[in-house]
Amino acid sequence: MKKVKLSKIIKYGKIEKKVDLKTLTSLQIGGVADYVVQPSDLEECFKLLQYVQKNKIPYMILGNGTNVLCSDDAYHGVVIKMGKLFASMQHDQEWFQVESGCALSQFIRYAIQNGYGGLEGLMGIPGSLGGAVRMNAGAFGYTISDYLQGVMYLDGDTIYYKKKEECDFGYRHSVFCDHKEWLILRIDFSLPQKTENSDQILKECMEKRLKSQELAYPSAGSVFKRNDLLPAPVSKIIDDMGLKGYRIGGAMISQKHAGFFINFASASSQNMKDLIQYVQDLVWEKYQVRLETEIEML
Ligand SMILES: Cc1cc2nc3c(=O)[nH]c(=O)nc-3n(C[C@H](O)[C@H](O)[C@H](O)COP(=O)(O)OP(=O)(O)OC[C@H]3O[C@@H](n4cnc5c(N)ncnc54)[C@H](O)[C@@H]3O)c2cc1C
């Protein structure tokens, strides 16, 4: 890659060369990226995005890496990692402003400690706020967009703000899915006061998660989106086809939750893709329904 003088742009953040993306994704799959850059403030985000876009340097954005399947090939570009260096939280009564690198669970805990709730059911989703907003993450009837007021994001050298109604939130979808080049910077919420049930809901949702989800092996959560054309939840359909434990190379359908595909033994990206395709084909043959992936291929 020519002309990369990232150190001129990133003074307080972090620049790493030749980073194995296995170490940055919950599936622990991925090739080596030329650069991983963690900006630490608005100015660094701004200069970095401007720089890669202007110089036509390939880039991709990563939050906590818990909803992605990265290719095994080397990535000749810049991975912009939004993490704990860009994760401040502020609030004034019920108004909360959170930077996109903040971990979702950390934000929920912060809100509750300050007397506000509304997002209890999302506790335990292992992503960052930016990733959660982009995917409109949800669980147990709660979604991240429930109390969201607006999103500040960056494209090229301009900062924009979208109000909730402009974000096109739907099931595991937002306008940010259609614009992979946009960098989500800050999310604003107006949260309701926590209730006497908040702690109990938090506890129950965490218990349900621990009981039902596969947490012993690397995964990216549910592989497929819900599909209302099927007669049952996708995980039950896969289970009923007798596929729990089915393996291709090191990729396996979890024995505990058939919606989770795990990296059982040094799976390659291709192993995981083949397993996904295999299940998609079987479901198509049986139900003429095309399963859509929830995880993103990067
Ligand atoms: C064990 C486990 C359980 C899970 N349970 C749930 C669940 O109950 N409900 C649920 O909805 N999901 C669940 N997930 C999936 C995942 O945690 C969520 O989708 C999460 O919100 C993804 O956030 P992330 O920061 O990890 O995003 P990443 O995986 O890093 O990125 C996901 C997408 O968002 C983009 N992105 C990330 N940050 C930004 C940003 N700042 N600006 C622009 N684009 C960005 C990336 O480019 C990528 O396309 C689970 C995953 C695991 C491993």
Side-chain angles (χ1 to χ4, degrees):
M1 199 193 325
K2 281 185 277 176
K3 294 194 224 161
V4 174
K5 290 197 190 94
L6 291 166
S7 55
K8 292 223 155 113
I9 296 166
I10 303 294
K11 296 257 172 2
Y12 307 103
K14 202 168 168 188
I15 304 168
E16 290 170 286
K17 285 186 195 172
K18 299 286 175 205
V19 178
D20 198 335
L21 290 176
K22 283 189 179 88
T23 61
L24 296 182
T25 61
S26 60
L27 260 175
Q28 296 175 18
I29 293 176
V32 172
D34 282 354
Y35 290 89
V36 172
V37 180
Q38 294 188 51
S40 72
D41 59 26
L42 206 58
E43 192 183 337
E44 288 187 347
C45 290
F46 183 83
K47 286 187 174 162
L48 177 62
L49 199 69
Q50 194 185 42
Y51 178 78
V52 289
Q53 287 190 347
K54 274 205 170 139
N55 289 293
K56 299 200 173 7
I57 296 168
Y59 70 95
M60 65 180 178
I61 302 165
L62 208 57
N64 219 16
T66 63
N67 203 41
V68 291
L69 172 58
C70 289
S71 161
D72 290 326
D73 295 339
Y75 183 67
H76 298 300
V78 174
V79 175
I80 302 178
K81 160 100 179 131
M82 304 304 280
K84 53 181 183 249
L85 297 185
F86 193 76
S88 76
M89 296 178 271
Q90 294 180 33
H91 84 107
D92 181 6
Q93 313 253 13
E94 77 273 24
W95 279 92
F96 287 74
Q97 296 192 326
V98 195
E99 286 181 342
S100 61
C102 181
L104 177 56
S105 294
Q106 199 186 340
F107 168 54
I108 297 170
R109 223 173 283 120
Y110 173 81
I112 287 186
Q113 277 161 5
N114 285 285
Y116 293 88
L119 301 174
E120 293 86 344
L122 306 178
M123 190 68 177
I125 296 180
S128 67
L129 250 288
V133 166
R134 162 141 165 186
M135 309 306 302
N136 195 15
F140 311 120
Y142 294 73
T143 60
I144 190 70
S145 54
D146 291 346
Y147 296 99
L148 184 146
Q149 295 298 317
V151 179
M152 191 170 101
Y153 67 97
L154 185 60
D155 185 22
D157 45 16
T158 311
I159 291 178
Y160 298 91
Y161 190 85
K162 278 201 188 295
K163 291 189 203 152
K164 176 179 178 171
E165 54 274 23
E166 297 167 322
C167 290
D168 193 25
F169 285 118
Y171 170 69
R172 302 293 176 269
H173 176 82
S174 75
V175 69
F176 302 99
C177 295
D178 305 327
H179 294 276
K180 298 194 174 185
E181 69 284 10
W182 292 354
L183 179 62
I184 298 172
L185 298 170
R186 194 192 78 200
I187 304 102
D188 298 345
F189 296 90
S190 170
L191 296 181
Q193 293 203 333
K194 76 175 232 191
T195 67
E196 55 190 21
N197 295 330
S198 285
D199 293 323
Q200 185 59 23
I201 301 172
L202 206 77
K203 192 166 160 262
E204 281 172 13
C205 289
M206 278 306 282
E207 279 168 7
K208 274 196 238 169
R209 191 171 282 280
L210 290 173
K211 206 168 148 197
S212 64
Q213 293 193 345
E214 172 64 86
L215 303 174
Y217 290 95
S219 83
S222 295
V223 170
F224 298 111
K225 288 186 180 174
R226 188 180 70 203
N227 193 311
D228 296 336
L229 297 173
L230 288 169
V234 176
S235 58
K236 178 151 187 349
I237 297 280
I238 299 173
D239 191 2
D240 288 349
M241 290 194 297
L243 291 173
K244 273 186 172 172
Y246 185 82
R247 273 179 78 166
I248 295 185
M252 184 200 265
I253 299 177
S254 159
Q255 301 272 9
K256 187 170 174 186
H257 185 313
F260 280 43
F261 292 9
I262 58 176
N263 179 354
F264 180 71
S266 307
S268 66
S269 179
Q270 195 57 50
N271 290 159
M272 199 52 81
K273 281 186 196 155
D274 290 345
L275 191 57
I276 291 170
Q277 182 73 55
Y278 179 72
V279 172
Q280 281 173 326
D281 289 348
L282 285 184
V283 170
W284 174 258
E285 267 170 39
K286 189 155 181 199
Y287 298 99
Q288 284 73 58
V289 170
R290 184 85 190 146
L291 289 179
E292 204 185 320
T293 55
E294 180 171 326
I295 60 176
E296 296 218 2
M297 315 285 178
L298 292 184

